[in-house]
Amino acid sequence: MTEFIPPGTRWIDLPSPFPMKRGGALHGARIACETWGTRNAAGDNTILILTGLSPDAHAAANEANPAPGWWEAMVGPGKPIDTNRWHVVCFNALGSCKGSTGPASTNPATGEPYRLAFPELSIEDGADAAYAVVRALGIERLACLIGNSMGGMNALAFLTRHPGIARSHINISGAARALPFSIAIRSLQREAIRLDPQWNEGDYDDDHYPESGMRMARKLGVITYRSALEWDGRFGRVRLDSDRRDDEDPFGLEFEVESYLEAHARRFVRNFDPNCYLYLSRSMDWYDIGESCGGTTDQGLARIRVERALAIGVHTDILFPLQQQQQIADGLRAGGAEAHFLPLESPQGHDAFLVDFDRFGPAVADFLA
Amino acid sequence: MTEFIPPGTRWIDLPSPFPMKRGGALHGARIACETWGTRNAAGDNTILILTGLSPDAHAAANEANPAPGWWEAMVGPGKPIDTNRWHVVCFNALGSCKGSTGPASTNPATGEPYRLAFPELSIEDGADAAYAVVRALGIERLACLIGNSMGGMNALAFLTRHPGIARSHINISGAARALPFSIAIRSLQREAIRLDPQWNEGDYDDDHYPESGMRMARKLGVITYRSALEWDGRFGRVRLDSDRRDDEDPFGLEFEVESYLEAHARRFVRNFDPNCYLYLSRSMDWYDIGESCGGTTDQGLARIRVERALAIGVHTDILFPLQQQQQIADGLRAGGAEAHFLPLESPQGHDAFLVDFDRFGPAVADFLA
């Protein structure tokens, strides 16, 4: 039961108790936060970034932690999210294991990790936590709210629950509700973790860790985060060199693509808490802006009040498919925003925003200019 | 270690020894076979059907077994593959557990099931076995060779290794070589089976059966056999009724799509042998008509000699994507065939040929007419 907290992380306390949408409340919970750039005198230049499932708050290098962040190419002086101009804030998601309170954190009522005693987590809880932190930071109104993937869901929940909180919004590879293909994928990932005897109903430790389940979940994730098109060009049918193969294993790794999945899994499995993974994954399945607002998807989106918006998607994304970003743009426009839909031709699928900076950089920079 | 053999199955012995492409040989091996209709006097009206990974030879009801078959809507009197006109033959694949010799069959050298002692299985071995059976049945030349999915690979191998053996060919949702996305999916399915402690390096029995691994493999299969588009319309975000939910399980089934996957898995896991699954799955990864023929994919396809051909694919197929059937049609045309590519708008993905008879029926009937 380990948390993975980058150096230089700053914490902001949530109101205590912090009520959870599906029942229960957190006591003494907090959100991990990093910042770049400087707030201007008017206090109207803050951009908030809400992340996908796995990243921490360390989006880019800063004074507190000069190591490169997960969005290093996007955030910094002169970069698309230009920290010479903008005050940029990134939060680790509520329920994560990377600094914010989640199932791997200590439950103050017991002194032990929450594990499955953590209350049911919804996307709306993440949104409410982010709102509380924005307020605690003394920010009246965001210049822009950027949400990627799961963070795109959090951002929509944030904006519907707190109308007027942001002047503009960029939704990247997000969705206004989970659809059955994505639910099926995530359900299978969770099943892989839960089937691992080492998961032990959430009661594992570093010596008894559901490594096989996490490996399966991550590999299935990577398959759905990228695209067949990219892999055709990148791996084709190239085999591993014989010194990288185990000839004793009749079903062992043989193709480069299998080795790529294995490497991704190895980097992930011991660096993310399995229970946190289960909670965050489930929260995405539950999200439906229409259910959340008591209406249709379009009605939910039309309740959002922003001046300008951009929904970016990628043709090759099978997990948050392009029509979901189209729907976001259309819905925000129906709510009165000057909203644009930008489909990109990236081959990298859902993960394109993490790697295809030639396309995502100008798209974000142009909107913010 | 169980085989699943439909009543009325007929067996044809393979030459013994039967050499395998990647080494080793089978002794006393046989292929399960079913037939419909009557051979004409000229002996030129036989259609051979080669199946996907899991079906048996019972494509449709016949005298020996009146139960409906897996392609009942396609094969029979007056149906698209009209048994009033055609003599139709279907083989269970070499390496399967449904009648033909495979890893679940008894190894005559030991009297025990082969399990992992079965020689490495390739698509070409399946093709050579099919060819041997065609010859044993006294068929000089097929009127048409139809191959679905994995059977589409077997059919291409059959045609490259035995030029002129068929007058015409229908390739349905097949591929001339495995691409990395499909390899990744199948690799993960195999890993799920192998990770199950009950798999036990292939040495399981009915009381110690890798049920969890097979369930994971089948669910992942079903996810890739259908399509997001179909599921959006079919399941949306519909929840299970409360009496079908286990409220004690915090990550239990909640959405209809999860229950659908579970039902598919339950029907499959005890009805297919895990080792056979591993062997057949791996054989698809290995298949590459170019490697097999010592040239490019297009060169391999252009070696095939048929008069007419039809390659049918489906827009929503993510496992054998449409461009692979386009490539088959183009390659066969380059080899001199009158070859057509027919992309269908079925929402059902790779499995469409098993369910979308409104589209597949006329397509096959028109070609055979």
Side-chain angles (χ1 to χ4, degrees):
Chain A
M1 188 60 66
T2 315
E3 296 177 81
F4 308 89
I5 303 166
T9 294
R10 171 182 170 195
W11 281 273
I12 310 287
D13 290 335
L14 292 178
S16 186
F18 179 81
M20 301 284 275
K21 178 179 178 243
R22 298 174 64 97
L26 299 176
H27 296 263
R30 58 188 191 165
I31 293 294
C33 167
E34 292 200 27
T35 64
W36 301 260
T38 310
R39 272 173 82 181
N40 62 15
D44 64 359
N45 72 329
T46 299
I47 293 177
L48 170 61
I49 299 168
L50 299 178
T51 79
L53 185 153
S54 56
D56 52 36
H58 190 59
N62 49 19
E63 278 182 25
N65 179 3
W70 57 266
W71 230 16
E72 189 67 33
M74 293 292 283
V75 179
K79 294 183 181 174
I81 303 171
D82 186 350
T83 52
N84 289 329
R85 177 180 174 198
W86 303 107
H87 172 237
V88 181
V89 186
C90 182
F91 301 158
N92 179 234
L94 183 70
S96 175
C97 53
K98 299 201 167 176
S100 295
T101 298
S105 306
T106 300
N107 179 353
T110 64
E112 298 288 320
Y114 279 105
R115 304 182 188 274
L116 303 195
F118 198 78
E120 288 185 343
L121 177 73
S122 70
I123 288 291
E124 290 85 344
D125 298 320
D128 288 349
Y131 178 79
V133 177
V134 165
R135 283 287 183 252
L137 291 170
I139 298 163
E140 277 297 306
R141 195 171 188 218
L142 294 165
C144 187
L145 174 60
I146 300 177
N148 303 330
S149 185
M150 183 187 84
M153 291 178 157
N154 286 125
L156 293 175
F158 187 103
L159 294 170
T160 46
R161 293 164 83 84
H162 309 287
I165 182 70
R167 263 203 326 272
S168 71
H169 171 47
I170 303 178
N171 200 294
I172 296 180
S173 301
R177 60 181 191 144
L179 290 176
F181 181 83
S182 311
I183 292 173
I185 293 284
R186 285 191 291 260
S187 175
L188 199 54
Q189 292 174 303
R190 294 192 299 270
E191 186 167 351
I193 294 169
R194 293 159 56 226
L195 276 174
D196 189 326
Q198 304 257 52
W199 178 61
N200 192 28
E201 301 295 318
D203 196 10
Y204 48 82
D205 58 31
D206 284 348
D207 294 332
H208 307 85
Y209 183 92
E211 188 155 335
S212 298
M214 285 292 279
R215 191 161 76 240
M216 292 294 296
R218 183 59 172 178
K219 286 186 177 183
L220 180 51
V222 173
I223 287 174
T224 60
Y225 297 156
R226 310 300 289 221
S227 87
L229 179 70
E230 181 199 8
W231 288 0
D232 289 351
R234 184 167 172 181
F235 303 116
R237 292 181 48 78
V238 175
R239 307 305 211 277
L240 295 175
D241 293 336
S242 57
D243 61 350
R244 293 170 63 203
R245 290 167 62 171
D246 175 5
D247 291 335
E248 298 300 301
D249 182 349
F251 298 101
L253 306 183
E254 173 172 346
F255 291 93
E256 279 286 354
V257 68
E258 295 179 282
S259 170
Y260 167 84
L261 288 181
E262 184 69 22
H264 262 281
R266 283 197 185 154
R267 283 198 297 273
F268 185 77
V269 289
R270 290 276 180 175
N271 289 303
F272 207 89
D273 178 71
N275 289 334
C276 292
Y277 193 91
L278 293 174
Y279 273 80
L280 289 165
S281 165
R282 188 65 149 170
S283 77
M284 282 191 270
D285 289 3
W286 280 330
Y287 188 60
D288 181 336
I289 198 172
E291 284 179 22
S292 190
C293 297
T296 65
T297 309
D298 292 342
Q299 286 167 345
L301 286 165
R303 283 170 58 157
I304 290 174
R305 295 285 168 268
V306 291
E307 294 168 15
R308 297 170 59 238
L310 176 66
I312 311 179
V314 167
H315 277 98
T316 49
D317 187 342
I318 58 174
L319 201 60
F320 286 70
L322 202 58
Q323 66 268 26
Q324 296 206 281
Q325 294 88 50
Q326 169 98 60
Q327 183 176 41
I328 291 169
D330 291 348
L332 293 176
R333 199 176 307 115
E338 183 198 329
H340 294 279
F341 166 54
L342 180 60
L344 295 179
E345 296 281 349
S346 301
Q348 289 99 340
H350 185 64
D351 264 2
F353 69 91
L354 294 171
V355 287
D356 187 359
F357 302 115
D358 288 347
R359 289 188 176 85
F360 276 88
V364 169
D366 289 352
F367 181 83
L368 294 176
Chain B
M1 187 61 67
T2 315
E3 296 177 81
F4 308 90
I5 303 166
T9 293
R10 174 183 169 196
W11 281 273
I12 310 287
D13 290 334
L14 291 179
S16 187
F18 178 82
M20 301 285 276
K21 179 181 177 242
R22 296 175 65 97
L26 299 175
H27 297 264
R30 58 189 190 166
I31 293 295
C33 166
E34 293 200 26
T35 63
W36 301 260
T38 310
R39 272 173 82 180
N40 61 14
D44 63 359
N45 72 327
T46 299
I47 293 177
L48 169 61
I49 299 169
L50 299 179
T51 78
L53 186 154
S54 56
D56 53 35
H58 190 58
N62 50 19
E63 278 183 25
N65 180 3
W70 57 266
W71 231 15
E72 190 68 33
M74 293 292 282
V75 178
K79 293 183 181 173
I81 303 170
D82 186 350
T83 52
N84 290 328
R85 177 180 173 197
W86 303 107
H87 173 237
V88 181
V89 186
C90 183
F91 301 158
N92 179 235
L94 183 71
S96 176
C97 53
K98 301 204 166 174
S100 295
T101 298
S105 307
T106 300
N107 179 351
T110 63
E112 298 288 321
Y114 279 103
R115 304 182 189 275
L116 303 195
F118 198 78
E120 288 185 342
L121 178 74
S122 70
I123 288 291
E124 290 85 345
D125 298 319
D128 288 350
Y131 178 78
V133 178
V134 164
R135 283 287 183 252
L137 291 169
I139 297 163
E140 277 297 306
R141 194 170 190 219
L142 294 166
C144 187
L145 173 59
I146 299 177
N148 303 329
S149 183
M150 182 186 84
M153 289 178 158
N154 286 124
L156 293 176
F158 186 103
L159 295 169
T160 46
R161 293 163 83 85
H162 309 287
I165 182 71
R167 265 205 322 273
S168 70
H169 171 46
I170 303 177
N171 200 294
I172 295 180
S173 301
R177 60 179 191 146
L179 290 176
F181 181 84
S182 311
I183 292 173
I185 293 283
R186 285 191 290 261
S187 175
L188 199 54
Q189 292 174 302
R190 294 192 298 270
E191 186 167 352
I193 294 169
R194 292 159 58 225
L195 276 174
D196 189 327
Q198 304 258 49
W199 179 61
N200 191 28
E201 301 294 317
D203 196 11
Y204 48 82
D205 59 31
D206 285 347
D207 295 330
H208 307 85
Y209 183 92
E211 188 155 334
S212 298
M214 285 292 278
R215 190 161 75 239
M216 291 294 297
R218 182 59 171 177
K219 286 187 177 184
L220 180 53
V222 173
I223 287 174
T224 59
Y225 298 156
R226 310 300 287 222
S227 86
L229 178 70
E230 181 198 8
W231 288 0
D232 289 350
R234 184 168 172 179
F235 303 116
R237 292 181 49 78
V238 175
R239 306 306 212 275
L240 294 174
D241 294 336
S242 57
D243 60 351
R244 293 171 64 203
R245 289 167 62 170
D246 175 3
D247 290 334
E248 298 300 300
D249 182 348
F251 297 102
L253 306 183
E254 172 172 346
F255 291 92
E256 280 286 354
V257 69
E258 295 179 282
S259 168
Y260 167 84
L261 289 181
E262 183 68 22
H264 262 281
R266 283 199 184 150
R267 284 198 297 274
F268 185 78
V269 289
R270 290 277 180 175
N271 289 303
F272 207 90
D273 178 72
N275 290 333
C276 292
Y277 193 91
L278 293 174
Y279 272 80
L280 289 165
S281 165
R282 188 66 151 168
S283 77
M284 282 189 270
D285 289 2
W286 279 330
Y287 188 58
D288 180 335
I289 198 171
E291 284 179 23
S292 190
C293 297
T296 65
T297 309
D298 292 341
Q299 287 168 342
L301 285 164
R303 282 169 61 156
I304 289 173
R305 295 288 167 267
V306 291
E307 295 169 12
R308 297 170 58 239
L310 175 66
I312 311 178
V314 167
H315 277 97
T316 49
D317 188 341
I318 58 174
L319 201 60
F320 286 69
L322 203 58
Q323 66 269 26
Q324 296 205 283
Q325 294 88 49
Q326 168 97 60
Q327 183 176 40
I328 291 169
D330 291 348
L332 294 176
R333 200 177 305 116
E338 183 199 327
H340 295 279
F341 167 54
L342 180 61
L344 296 179
E345 296 282 348
S346 301
Q348 290 99 340
H350 185 64
D351 263 3
F353 69 91
L354 294 171
V355 287
D356 187 1
F357 301 116
D358 289 348
R359 289 189 177 85
F360 275 88
V364 170
D366 289 352
F367 180 84
L368 294 176

